[in-house]
């Protein structure tokens, strides 16, 4: 734990050092890991191509840094504490040694079923320890995992399977969420009708509901592991071999596969985990995310396990069986660090303080937030009612592409400020640039947030389409990584994230491209054209507002709206269902035919006082008509 920063002056010193000599800085952090072969060069980079390599030519396996490295000292310590959806079902406590054996056993099972180094494996599973075992087993044999959030539809799943030409799918029969049980295997079956590359499907029996098992293709998890040994010698990986692909939405219609590699991701997630949360040996840490998102990858599985921490995995939802569930779990396990999303905080805030009253919450030392800007009101509620005024709130800004936390307070070490992510972590060099890409130096500035120097956890490419990576992140502003976020640096030098500046929405902390939702809406046969924008939503942060031009012949508006919503549900999944759908006679367009989203955003947020100059539009009259019928 020698890399942990303990004091403000320590932070200032480390930060300076990381900027003055990044190679010396990261080499020192990386030194504490187990490498099978040391690197020749700490970093090699060219943001124009882009081509970024960390710890060139080093060899390692990330799972050796979780298991072999910890087994002697931490073998009997809980690695994962699993809390089931139903509080009356028994929990599971899995030690490092047990997790190691489960991982090896499953690694052998995958190997026997034809998966090897470099093959892609889709994980479409509920929040059970086997999801972590699946990830770690892939890493152990050098297969590339790609987790698809189990709430995505069969179409979305098929698209991802096809994009990365996956050979295997790991899934479950069903998934318990709150009072419901959701079929999972059936969704996989449907997806596989639209794909050709998957040879084997391994199914974990969770809900015991009936499923069809296709002979020769589908195998039960318990059968797959039954005769497998609990040892597996980790594959030797190059530092820049792919560790995983994770699909995320962007401003174009098709989600892209963000690629992370072994060495840099390992160093960055452990370092940021230990520092931001100030994890001490023996602490119980809980992140409420799902493994289907990057937060689950970096801060439920890899970061905490690399640090030898005890990480809680929760299968359920915050409001089942009641709105006190989170607080009950915190007391049950005496959680020390708690990490959740603003949308969950706001949703629970709406229940008042009554559900909190039965609980002490006195084990908490640090509380964290991630996924979207946390508004001041939610920050204060979280700080006083959950943190009891004594726990620092770490508002952590980062992205799927950054691999780990970039801008955040270091708990108890650097200052916090409501609604501010505050200061960059050591090794992270953010800049704010204007529309032309000119760096705005000094304090009290506002503009586009970029990063001007590489960091070990950063995206390397977008799967199968390197040019897309270049266009999306490295072309808007030359020589810099562009985050897509707007930010301000205040008079004290603290960063405040202002939200996306591109056509990407943030719905309950989940990223969703407007074009992706539009494409789904347009699949409905009666839809002629659509435009989607985000609007402020009390709980979700942003909601989805869809303006749709339809062929109304013989159809009622209500039916059509219901069908469009269902179309989106089918093509993407419930998280993309529009909150509001308005059938419109036309969409405001410029003379060159570009949809004026600025106007649609104003209408969606009920801010129609000053629409600006609309006289230059191709069809100014539709604006009035849309405002009149706005939802
Ligand atoms: C986008 C990334 C990072 C894991 C979860 C989301 C927004 C994230 C914050 C924060 C303000 C935030 C940004 C970013 N975002 N954290 N603390 N304050 N905004 O990952 O799906 O890749 O989304 O989420 O807009 O670009 P993601």
């Amino acid at each position: 734990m020698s890399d942990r920063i303990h004091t403000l002056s320590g932070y200032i010193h480390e930060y300076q050092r990381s900027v003055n000599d990044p190679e010396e800085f990261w080499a020192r952090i990386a030194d504490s890991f187990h490498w099978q072969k040391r690197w020749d060069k700490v970093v090699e980079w060219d943001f124009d191509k882009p081509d970024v390599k960390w710890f060139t030519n080093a060899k390692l396996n990330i799972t050796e840094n979780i298991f072999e490295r910890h087994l002697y000292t931490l073998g009997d310590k809980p690695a994962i504490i699993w809390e089931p959806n139903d509080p009356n079902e028994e929990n599971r406590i899995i030690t490092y040694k047990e997790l190691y054996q489960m991982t090896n056993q499953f690694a052998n099972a995958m190997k026997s079923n034809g998966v090897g180094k470099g093959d892609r494996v889709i994980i479409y599973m509920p929040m059970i320890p086997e999801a972590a075992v699946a990830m770690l087993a892939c890493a152990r044999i050098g297969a590339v995992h790609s987790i698809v959030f189990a709430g995505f539809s069969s179409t979305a799943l098929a698209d991802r399977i096809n994009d990365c030409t996956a050979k295997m799918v790991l899934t479950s029969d069903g998934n318990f969420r709150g009072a419901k049980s959701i079929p999972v295997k059936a969704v996989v079956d449907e997806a596989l009708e639209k794909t050709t590359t998957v040879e084997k499907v391994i199914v974990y029996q969770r809900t015991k509901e009936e499923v069809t098992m296709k002979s020769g293709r589908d195998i039960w998890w318990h059968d797959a592991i039954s005769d497998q040994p609990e040892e597996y010698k980790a594959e030797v990986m190059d530092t820049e071999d792919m560790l995983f692909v994770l699909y995320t939405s962007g401003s174009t219609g098709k989600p892209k596969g963000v690629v992370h590699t072994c060495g840099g991701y390992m160093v960055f997630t452990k370092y940021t985990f230990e520092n931001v949360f100030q994890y001490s040996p023996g602490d119980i840490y809980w992140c409420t995310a799902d493994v289907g998102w990057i937060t689950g990858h970096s801060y439920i599985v890899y970061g905490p396990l690399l640090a030898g921490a005890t990480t809680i995995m929760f299968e359920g939802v915050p409001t089942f069986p009641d709105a006190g569930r989170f607080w009950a779990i915190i007391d049950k396990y005496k959680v020390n660090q708690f990490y959740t999303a603003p949308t969950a905080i706001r949703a629970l805030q709406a229940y008042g303080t009554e559900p909190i009253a039965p609980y002490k919450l006195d084990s908490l030392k640090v509380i964290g937030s991630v996924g979207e800007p946390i508004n001041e009101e939610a920050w204060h509620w979280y700080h006083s009612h959950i943190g009891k005024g004594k726990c620092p709130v770490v508002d952590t800004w980062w992205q799927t592409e950054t691999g780990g936390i970039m801008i955040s307070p270091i708990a108890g070490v650097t200052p916090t400020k409501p609604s501010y992510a505050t200061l960059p972590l050591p090794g992270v060099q953010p800049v704010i640039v204007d529309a032309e890409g000119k760096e705005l130096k000094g304090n009290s500035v506002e503009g586009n947030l970029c990063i001007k120097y590489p960091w070990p956890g950063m995206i390397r490419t977008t799967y199968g389409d390197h040019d897309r990576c270049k266009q999306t992140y490295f072309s808007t502003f030359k020589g810099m990584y562009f985050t897509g976020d707007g930010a301000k640096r205040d008079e004290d030098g603290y960063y405040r994230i202002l939200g996306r500046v591109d056509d990407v929405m943030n719905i309950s902390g989940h990223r969703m491209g407007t074009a992706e939702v539009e494409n789904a809406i347009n699949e409905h046969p009666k839809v002629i054209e659509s435009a989607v924008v985000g609007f402020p939503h009390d709980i979700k942060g942003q909601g989805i507002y869809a303006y749709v031009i339809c062929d109304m012949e013989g159809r009622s508006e209500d039916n059509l709206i219901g069908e469009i919503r269902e179309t989106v549900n089918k093509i993407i999944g419930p998280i993309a269902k529009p909150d509001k759908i308005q059938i419109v006679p036309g969409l405001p367009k410029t003379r060159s035919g570009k949809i004026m989203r600025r106007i649609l955003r104003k209408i969606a947020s009920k801010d129609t006082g000053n629409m600006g100059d609309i006289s230059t539009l191709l069809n100014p009259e539709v604006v009035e008509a849309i405002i009149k019928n706005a939802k």
Side-chain angles (χ1 to χ4, degrees), residues 248 294-295 369-374 395-401 421 483 485 497 499-500 506 509-511:
T248 188
I294 190 70
T295 311
S369 167
V370 60
E372 55 177 310
I374 177 163
D395 176 359
T396 62
W397 174 84
W398 57 296
Q399 310 177 295
T400 303
E401 294 85 346
T483 64
D485 279 320
I497 309 302
R500 304 289 304 196
N506 191 322
H510 303 318
R511 199 198 300 195

Side-chain angles (χ1 to χ4, degrees), residues 569-587:
N569 187 34
K570 192 153 176 4
I571 291 179
I572 307 175
I575 52 171
K577 274 198 273 187
D579 299 274
K580 296 181 182 178
I581 297 179
Q582 182 181 354
I583 310 263
V584 295
L587 293 166

Side-chain angles (χ1 to χ4, degrees), residues 271-324:
Y271 177 74
T272 51
F273 170 75
E274 278 181 351
N275 275 292
V276 169
F277 298 102
Q278 291 286 297
Y279 184 87
S280 296
D283 283 349
I284 308 290
Y285 161 88
W286 179 24
C287 166
T288 68
D290 188 284
V291 289
W293 312 113
I294 190 70
T295 311
H297 287 62
S298 303
Y299 299 111
I300 294 179
V301 179
Y302 288 111
L305 295 179
L306 285 161
T310 299
T311 178
I312 295 183
M313 238 178 138
F314 174 44
E315 184 185 35
V317 296
T319 48
F320 179 80
D322 57 55

Side-chain angles (χ1 to χ4, degrees), residues 148 152 155-160 162-164 245-258 293 401 462-465 468 472-473 511-513 515-517 519 571-572:
V148 178
F152 276 118
T155 313
L157 175 60
D159 287 347
R160 287 155 175 80
N162 286 330
D163 190 80
C164 71
V245 180
L246 183 58
Y247 286 85
T248 188
S249 298
S251 43
T252 62
K254 197 172 149 266
K256 50 190 173 295
V258 172
W293 312 113
E401 294 85 346
T462 41
Y463 194 89
D465 189 354
R468 192 154 174 216
T472 312
Y473 307 105
R511 199 198 300 195
M512 191 52 64
E516 201 180 338
V517 181
N519 287 351
I571 291 179
I572 307 175

Side-chain angles (χ1 to χ4, degrees), residues 185 189 192 198-202 214-219:
K185 174 64 165 56
D189 291 340
L192 292 187
V198 174
E199 293 167 12
K200 291 278 163 67
V201 178
I202 303 185
K214 189 170 166 184
S215 110
R217 185 193 74 184
D218 301 349
I219 314 149

Side-chain angles (χ1 to χ4, degrees), residues 441-491:
K441 298 210 165 122
N443 290 339
S444 306
V445 292
E446 193 176 311
N448 301 298
L449 181 63
C450 293
I451 315 287
K452 70 173 177 192
Y453 193 88
W455 65 101
M458 72 185 290
I459 179 174
R460 298 300 196 271
T461 187
T462 41
Y463 194 89
D465 189 354
H466 190 65
D467 193 54
R468 192 154 174 216
C469 174
K470 179 183 162 113
Q471 294 308 329
T472 312
Y473 307 105
F474 297 94
S475 299
T476 318
F477 303 111
K478 209 181 142 37
M480 288 180 222
Y481 166 84
F482 176 42
T483 64
D485 279 320
K488 113 177 188 186
R489 192 163 51 228
D490 76 355
E491 59 285 0

Side-chain angles (χ1 to χ4, degrees), residues 353-408:
T353 51
E354 210 174 300
I356 311 172
Y359 305 105
K360 295 228 261 307
L361 305 180
D362 57 351
S363 55
L364 288 174
K365 296 194 278 193
V366 177
I367 53 178
S369 167
V370 60
E372 55 177 310
I374 177 163
N375 48 306
E376 280 196 48
E377 201 196 336
W379 193 100
H380 284 295
W381 187 87
Y382 194 33
H383 183 249
S384 21
H385 295 288
I386 307 308
K388 310 294 180 198
K390 66 176 175 58
C391 301
V393 176
V394 290
D395 176 359
T396 62
W397 174 84
W398 57 296
Q399 310 177 295
T400 303
E401 294 85 346
T402 69
I405 299 169
M406 301 288 278
I407 303 180
S408 168

Side-chain angles (χ1 to χ4, degrees), residues 207-227:
T207 58
K208 305 221 158 68
E209 64 200 74
E210 205 158 323
V211 296
T212 38
M213 296 291 279
K214 189 170 166 184
S215 110
R217 185 193 74 184
D218 301 349
I219 314 149
W220 287 109
W221 186 292
H222 50 259
D223 291 333
I225 60 171
S226 67
D227 292 322

